[in-house]
Amino acid sequence: MRILVPVKRVIDFNVKPRVKTDGTGIDLANVKMSMNPFDEIAVEEAIRLKEKGVASEVVAVSIGPVKAQETLRTALAMGADRAILVQTDEAVEPLAVAKLLKAIANEESPDLVILGKQAIDDDSNQTGQMLAALLGRPQGTFASKVEVERSSVVVTREVDGGLETVKLSLPAVITTDLRLNEPRYASLPNIMKAKSKPLVTKVPADYGVDVTPRLKTLKVSEPSVRSAGVKVPDVDALVAKLKELGVA
Amino acid sequence: MTKVLVWVEHDNNTLKDATLAAVTAGAQLGEVTLLVAGAGAGVAAVAAEASRIAGVARVLAADDAAFGHGLAENLAPLIVGLLADFDAFVAPATTTGKNIAPRVAALLDVAQLSDILSVEGPRTFTRPIYAGNAIATVESSDAKLVITVRGTAFAKAAATGGSSPVETVSSNGDAGLSSFVGAEIAKSERPELTSAKIIVSGGRALKDAETFKQYIFPLADKLGAAVGASRAAVDAGYVPNDYQVGQTGKIVAPEVYIAVGISGAIQHLAGMKDSKTIVAINKDEDAPIFQVADIGLVADLFSAVPELTGKL
């Protein structure tokens, strides 16, 4: 089977984002960028399915600026076979990303599309579900375990209160949760090898998809700052404080 | 008047609290109708409970085996069909809401507004981005709105006082794409994490599952609190995943949040920094958690927590 893995280039998860003083967005100039952590988990799962002999080919795809090539090279160095970059300098909303991925899925006919459950920049948690809807395929969101059977896939999902297992007919769309796996580091030889793997570049117009945003960001502001607290010297003082709050 | 369809979160038995916050958000947009979809006798019980919620115009009840386990493939067509008569769909940002709403939005060809914090105007909302490190004010240009609501950001609608009529709606059946296999729902005597007034949360410093139980649980029980955990504690296997508080776990905002042995990484703070009072117990006085804590105690948790539990 073929697996399609969409990956997103985002601000590194260790970086504390700074809001621009003019309120138009987050300052991303000279900030370290990386592959979205949930997408690393998606790539890892696809590679593991290939190593088990379940998948024959893993195709990584990213939608974003020229620099998203680096993110795709990371996926190739982890073990993906080839990559597609849909290049655009505009911010593309989940719905438009889902439409582009649908068009790519129609060309590539993957049996599985594995995405991260959310991108740590816009925190939307929408793209996988939207893609499944547009393709008319089932969705296994927030997956912590994936088992491919002959014509179906069994997905254990992290839900409020515990775990839930669902069976989806193939082809299907899966989104990864943190506990699905531990992504590997790309080795130096594999990073070198990844440089010669195929990477084709397209633009949204190639797929006839209109990426005009539906949501207009009026402003981006800092969250309200908590006022400075106090440190108490010992447990007795803490108990007194808790009593003041009426919880003890 | 704007007509709003609000998704009722339930377990085929009782209505979940998260629904009440979604009702409040929905009511700020227009006239609220509730949708109870489920399977069997529980649907009528939940619909009856829903009809008592204050400020609701009517309740729609859909009963079909296909709706029993919240499968998005079966529920999205039902909701999309009903939305012909509505201007907005509002769901709580629970795992069920997050699973269904984007599928509905895509079928309607509209962008979704995830996890809103406030309603600023008929089409304008605020929502957190970058793990809550920034708040975006966004305006939708779509014909219909699809919204998920952060439960902790809205007051809960009164669960009683209303008496709205219940109408039955027909099902379009099973889409035949997916099926429910089973569930492992953690049983707990303690309050539910997302609705608890007090939360005691433990981090990596608790060392292992045994010490987590030994130090955190008695303190929580003394306070009648729910128990939470950092990602590090969950990854290390001290407690199950659904205890996790943070950007990728649960978002909580209790009256009092007691962080024990938690350093305070950005991703953890994203899940709890709207708590009314934050208490931190950590032996590292430079831990980032102290920058948001209202009350801090620099101490070794293995001596401070039992002492605290004993003195309460």
Side-chain angles (χ1 to χ4, degrees):
Chain A
M1 66 160 51
R2 181 178 288 161
I3 302 180
L4 190 67
V5 188
V7 294
K8 185 176 186 183
R9 180 177 184 266
V10 298
I11 189 168
D12 189 86
F13 75 99
N14 278 316
V15 176
K16 183 164 165 55
R18 305 233 170 263
V19 175
K20 285 188 201 167
T21 47
D22 64 359
T24 56
I26 298 291
D27 191 358
L28 294 175
N30 304 315
V31 169
K32 187 186 177 203
M33 305 290 277
S34 304
M35 188 191 294
N36 180 43
F38 291 99
D39 303 348
E40 289 186 351
I41 295 169
V43 174
E44 177 66 33
E45 195 64 18
I47 306 300
R48 288 187 190 189
L49 288 170
K50 194 183 169 195
E51 286 168 348
K52 278 190 222 162
V54 175
S56 50
E57 192 186 31
V58 176
V59 182
V61 49
S62 193
I63 296 156
V66 177
K67 283 198 165 171
Q69 277 188 16
E70 295 165 11
T71 312
L72 287 169
R73 291 288 173 206
T74 305
L76 294 170
M78 286 173 75
D81 297 290
R82 57 188 173 88
I84 302 165
L85 171 65
V86 183
Q87 197 189 314
T88 169
D89 288 326
E90 305 301 316
V92 185
E93 291 173 350
L95 180 62
V97 170
K99 287 178 180 179
L100 287 166
L101 293 176
K102 181 196 176 186
I104 294 169
N106 286 342
E107 280 181 1
E108 300 281 345
S109 341
D111 301 277
L112 271 182
V113 184
I114 309 181
L115 307 90
K117 80 164 176 183
Q118 76 191 66
I120 61 163
D121 52 0
D122 63 19
D123 282 330
S124 289
N125 196 332
Q126 300 172 5
T127 307
Q129 295 90 316
M130 288 182 155
L131 174 63
L134 298 177
L135 290 171
R137 302 312 315 174
Q139 63 191 49
T141 50
F142 326 140
S144 62
K145 194 176 173 194
V146 172
E147 289 170 293
V148 178
E149 297 177 345
R150 196 175 300 243
S151 60
S152 60
V153 56
V154 176
V155 179
T156 302
R157 307 177 54 231
E158 294 201 5
V159 295
D160 295 331
L163 299 171
E164 173 187 289
T165 305
V166 292
K167 189 171 186 169
L168 315 173
S169 60
L170 289 173
V173 176
I174 290 172
T175 74
T176 63
D177 215 322
L178 277 177
R179 248 71 60 171
L180 182 59
N181 60 47
E182 189 80 33
R184 71 193 64 189
Y185 289 102
S187 66
L188 188 58
N190 285 343
I191 292 170
M192 299 310 289
K193 244 187 270 172
K195 288 183 178 165
S196 56
K197 286 184 178 176
L199 190 160
V200 300
T201 301
K202 302 270 193 174
V203 292
D206 292 339
Y207 299 101
V209 173
D210 176 9
V211 296
T212 311
R214 307 287 188 84
L215 303 176
K216 190 169 146 196
T217 300
L218 303 179
K219 74 171 182 218
V220 174
S221 51
E222 297 264 4
S224 53
V225 183
R226 295 187 74 95
S227 52
V230 293
K231 278 194 180 143
V232 292
D234 54 30
V235 171
D236 288 323
L238 177 55
V239 172
K241 283 278 183 191
L242 289 174
K243 284 196 169 135
E244 270 174 42
L245 291 169
V247 299
Chain B
M1 183 170 193
T2 306
K3 293 170 77 184
V4 184
L5 184 66
V6 175
W7 168 259
V8 172
E9 175 93 7
H10 65 92
D11 57 3
N12 274 313
N13 183 23
T14 49
L15 185 137
K16 301 263 183 189
D17 257 11
T19 308
L20 301 174
V23 169
T24 302
Q28 290 177 13
L29 287 168
E31 182 192 82
V32 171
T33 298
L34 299 180
L35 172 62
V36 179
V43 175
V46 177
E49 206 180 338
S51 71
R52 291 192 288 272
I53 298 175
V56 171
R58 61 196 173 117
V59 177
L60 306 180
D63 174 5
D64 190 312
F67 302 149
H69 298 287
L71 294 172
E73 296 81 0
N74 297 341
L75 289 161
L78 169 79
I79 295 162
V80 169
L82 293 171
L83 282 175
D85 299 327
F86 291 90
D87 308 297
F89 177 66
V90 173
T94 55
T95 47
T96 314
K98 288 176 186 171
N99 190 38
I100 297 169
R103 193 163 177 116
V104 170
L107 293 174
L108 294 169
D109 192 31
V110 306
Q112 180 189 296
L113 296 131
S114 293
D115 222 9
I116 64 158
L117 300 172
S118 69
V119 176
E120 299 290 315
R123 326 197 63 80
T124 310
F125 307 88
T126 62
R127 58 175 305 264
I129 52 174
Y130 291 86
N133 281 293
I135 309 297
T137 306
V138 289
E139 184 182 47
S140 169
S141 61
D142 282 316
K144 286 188 201 286
L145 298 168
V146 175
I147 296 165
T148 62
V149 172
R150 176 167 291 195
T152 56
F154 290 85
K156 293 187 178 86
T160 55
S163 60
S164 41
V166 178
E167 297 163 31
T168 304
V169 291
S170 57
S171 161
N172 34 12
D174 196 320
L177 293 169
S178 58
S179 57
F180 174 80
V181 177
E184 275 177 61
I185 300 300
K187 287 208 171 65
S188 174
E189 304 289 308
R190 297 191 182 86
E192 204 188 348
L193 198 48
T194 47
S195 55
K197 286 203 161 49
I198 307 170
I199 293 172
V200 180
S201 235
R204 197 203 309 264
L206 268 303
K207 283 203 168 69
D208 60 39
E210 210 40 56
T211 45
F212 193 102
K213 242 181 238 150
Q214 193 186 332
Y215 288 85
I216 297 295
F217 287 12
L219 176 59
D221 292 342
K222 202 77 175 249
L223 294 166
V227 175
S230 69
R231 181 185 165 187
V234 170
D235 280 350
Y238 303 174
V239 285
N241 304 345
D242 54 297
Y243 282 60
Q244 188 184 325
V245 171
Q247 182 185 21
T248 63
K250 295 200 167 73
I251 313 287
V252 299
E255 298 281 314
V256 181
Y257 187 91
I258 305 179
V260 179
I262 291 176
S263 64
I266 297 175
Q267 292 79 11
H268 186 75
L269 300 182
M272 45 65 80
K273 68 180 175 188
D274 293 324
S275 305
K276 203 159 170 214
T277 302
I278 296 172
V279 179
I281 302 174
N282 204 302
K283 69 176 175 190
D284 173 11
E285 63 178 315
D286 297 323
I289 191 76
F290 287 120
Q291 290 164 22
V292 301
D294 302 283
I295 306 166
L297 174 64
V298 180
D300 180 18
L301 72 95
F302 293 106
S303 55
V305 171
E307 188 186 343
L308 175 60
T309 309
K311 285 179 175 167
L312 286 171

